[in-house]
């Protein structure tokens, strides 16, 4: 990368991601102001801290999940405060107990990764830097509630203004990852690389979690739409995507079986046919186009959605046609299994973007494969 490459990349990231930066800054500042003016706490550290933690966790989540995060953060602060008051600050036993209880509570409400670390750091702050005073008023707990409430309000306001945006992003991310799995399998088979094939299989096994997040995203978007009377007309789009997710779930399962057969094929002494990689990359392109079709449909861009759906149809049929050309006598069982899964994935993918009715999709896919009509 040249010396101007990184600044351009950074500028591009800020251009597309300035909203979360502004939202986090405003939420933390508002939480600080409310805690100092309403509660009168001179050092309300946990108000802006809780706002930042909750906003990071609650954005795009269902309302119930977001409330659980707020209560988890505030409850963790309260538990840590009480333990420090009971056992005294600074001791090893206090540090152990506070971190254990705080992180356990955070995990119980579903926090992971960065949020768990933030919870532990907040607990350490209570133990080491700012142990509680003798006051019976749980200022820090109140501060955390204020910060969490501000973050919750901010996240819901953002979702109410653009209720489908988190779901659109999740759709694109899920389909891009599934396409990446197929491309990874193709690369592994082209190189006759067993470790790479195993890595692609592991990635395919993780796609179930992405599908579950898609389902949660549909529910969260539905709640956001019901909170916004003017946008309830978009509920129909959600129903369409919800029915598509069922077919995408089938496609994910097909790709997982395909990846498993790819590992077996990579272990055989003979390399895979070159056209197999071509077919898998065509199928990956179909997956990407299908994701863009669903995203455009959610955004109400019908003509663009139709264009992406047509490209998904073309790429999927090309994948089936190329794979079908490899279906000749004497082929190994793993290769035959991959050809079958290319067909099954194409069918579920095209049904998911509603290119045609089920019977018509099945007929066109089988015709591309060279099978006689039913």
């Amino acid at each position: 990368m040249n010396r101007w490459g990184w600044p351009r990349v950074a500028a591009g990231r800020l251009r597309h991601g300035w909203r979360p930066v502004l939202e986090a800054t405003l939420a933390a500042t508002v939480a600080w102001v409310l805690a100092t003016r309403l509660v009168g706490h001179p050092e309300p550290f946990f108000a802006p801290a809780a706002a930042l933690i909750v906003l990071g966790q609650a954005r795009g989540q269902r309302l119930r999940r977001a409330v659980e995060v707020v209560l988890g953060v505030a409850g963790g602060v309260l538990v840590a405060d009480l333990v420090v008051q009971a056992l005294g600050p600074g001791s090893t036993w206090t540090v152990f107990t506070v971190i254990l209880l705080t992180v356990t509570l955070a995990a119980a409400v579903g926090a992971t990764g960065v949020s768990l670390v933030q919870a532990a750091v907040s607990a350490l702050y209570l133990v080491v830097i700012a142990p509680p005073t003798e006051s019976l008023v749980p200022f820090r707990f109140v501060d955390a509630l204020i910060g969490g409430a501000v973050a919750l309000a901010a996240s819901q306001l953002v979702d109410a203004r653009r209720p489908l945006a988190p779901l659109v992003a999740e759709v694109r991310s899920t389909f891009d990852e599934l396409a990446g799995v197929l491309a990874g399998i193709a690369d592994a088979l082209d190189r006759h690389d067993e470790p790479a094939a195993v890595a692609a299989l592991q990635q395919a096994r993780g796609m179930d979690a992405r599908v579950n997040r898609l389902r949660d995203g549909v529910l969260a978007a539905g709640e956001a739409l019901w909170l916004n009377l003017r946008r309830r007309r978009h509920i129909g789009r959600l129903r369409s995507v919800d029915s598509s997710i069922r077919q995408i779930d089938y496609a994910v399962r097909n790709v997982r079986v395909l990846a498993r057969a790819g590992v077996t094929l990579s272990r055989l002494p003979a390399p895979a046919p070159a056209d197999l990689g071509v077919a898998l990359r065509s199928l990956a392109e179909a997956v990407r186009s299908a994701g863009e079709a669903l995203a455009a449909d959610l955004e109400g861009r019908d003509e663009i959605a139709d264009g992406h759906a047509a490209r998904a149809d073309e790429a999927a049929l090309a994948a089936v046609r190329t794979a079908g050309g490899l279906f000749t006598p004497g082929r190994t069982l793993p290769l035959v299994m991959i050809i079958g899964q290319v067909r099954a994935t194409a069918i579920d993918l095209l049904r998911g973007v509603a290119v045609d009715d089920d019977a018509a999709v099945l007929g066109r896919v089988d015709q591309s494969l060279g099978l006689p009509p039913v």
Side-chain angles (χ1 to χ4, degrees), residues 333-346:
L333 179 60
L335 178 57
V336 174
M337 290 180 63
I338 290 176
I339 294 171
Q341 293 307 316
V342 169
R343 170 186 178 272
T345 303

Side-chain angles (χ1 to χ4, degrees), residues 131-218:
T133 63
E134 298 299 323
S135 172
L136 296 178
V137 180
F139 281 111
R140 290 182 242 235
F141 172 65
V142 175
D143 290 342
L145 280 180
I146 291 173
V150 169
L152 182 60
S155 67
Q156 294 304 311
L157 284 174
V158 171
D159 288 346
R161 190 178 71 250
R162 301 170 62 238
L164 298 179
L167 179 58
V168 169
E170 191 66 46
V171 165
R172 287 196 169 104
S173 178
T174 300
F175 279 78
D176 283 347
E177 185 167 339
L178 184 59
V181 171
L182 288 166
I185 298 169
D187 292 341
L189 293 178
D190 283 348
R191 300 193 304 265
H192 206 228
D193 187 344
E194 180 185 343
V198 172
L201 174 59
Q202 292 299 327
Q203 189 179 5
R205 286 172 173 164
M207 287 301 302
D208 286 338
R210 298 306 304 258
V211 175
N212 290 335
R213 285 204 291 272
L214 265 182
R215 291 193 177 98
D216 289 342
V218 170

Side-chain angles (χ1 to χ4, degrees), residues 2-320:
N2 60 47
R3 61 177 180 172
W4 300 112
W6 183 86
R8 288 197 189 96
V9 172
R13 289 171 179 167
L14 288 175
R15 186 168 57 253
H16 294 290
W18 63 269
R19 282 191 177 90
V21 174
L22 181 61
E23 291 160 10
T25 302
L26 290 177
T29 304
V30 170
W32 173 275
V33 171
L34 292 178
T36 53
R37 300 290 174 85
L38 294 183
V39 180
H41 194 183
E43 297 178 350
F45 168 81
F46 283 100
L52 293 173
I53 294 172
V54 173
L55 192 59
Q57 285 288 304
R59 183 182 286 110
Q61 298 290 332
R62 297 184 64 187
L63 183 59
R64 177 179 174 181
R65 164 69 179 145
V67 172
E68 287 176 352
V69 173
V70 173
L71 296 179
V73 171
V77 171
L78 180 60
V79 167
D81 220 345
L82 293 175
V83 171
V84 173
Q85 291 203 40
L87 301 181
S91 71
T92 302
W93 181 243
T94 302
V95 170
F96 172 82
T97 305
V98 166
I99 293 179
L100 176 63
L101 293 177
T102 304
V103 174
T104 299
L105 183 61
V109 299
T112 58
V114 174
S115 295
L116 283 175
V117 174
Q118 290 170 328
V121 170
S122 299
L124 281 174
Y125 180 85
L126 276 171
V127 176
V128 179
I129 306 299
T133 63
E134 298 299 323
S135 172
L136 296 178
V137 180
F139 281 111
R140 290 182 242 235
F141 172 65
V142 175
D143 290 342
L145 280 180
I146 291 173
V150 169
L152 182 60
S155 67
Q156 294 304 311
L157 284 174
V158 171
D159 288 346
R161 190 178 71 250
R162 301 170 62 238
L164 298 179
L167 179 58
V168 169
E170 191 66 46
V171 165
R172 287 196 169 104
S173 178
T174 300
F175 279 78
D176 283 347
E177 185 167 339
L178 184 59
V181 171
L182 288 166
I185 298 169
D187 292 341
L189 293 178
D190 283 348
R191 300 193 304 265
H192 206 228
D193 187 344
E194 180 185 343
V198 172
L201 174 59
Q202 292 299 327
Q203 189 179 5
R205 286 172 173 164
M207 287 301 302
D208 286 338
R210 298 306 304 258
V211 175
N212 290 335
R213 285 204 291 272
L214 265 182
R215 291 193 177 98
D216 289 342
V218 170
L219 294 174
E223 289 181 351
L225 286 176
W226 278 109
L227 291 173
N228 190 324
L229 296 177
R230 292 179 301 173
R231 297 182 184 270
R232 286 187 182 178
R233 65 184 184 278
H234 300 316
I235 288 288
R237 296 181 193 167
L238 282 187
R239 295 194 184 100
S240 173
V241 171
D242 193 29
S243 63
S244 297
I245 290 175
R246 187 181 307 109
Q247 296 299 143
I248 302 311
D249 188 18
Y250 297 152
V252 165
R253 298 179 193 181
N254 294 331
V255 171
R256 187 165 59 245
V257 175
L258 189 156
R260 192 178 300 117
V263 171
T264 304
L265 187 60
S266 70
R267 290 171 177 165
L268 299 180
D275 279 351
L276 185 59
V278 174
L280 293 177
R281 290 187 182 90
S282 293
L283 191 58
E285 182 58 35
V287 169
R288 289 192 182 91
S289 295
E292 289 298 325
L294 288 179
D297 184 50
L298 281 169
E299 294 171 334
R301 299 182 299 160
D302 294 337
E303 291 186 6
I304 294 177
D306 291 342
H308 284 300
R311 281 189 286 275
D313 182 84
E314 181 181 352
L317 294 181
V320 171

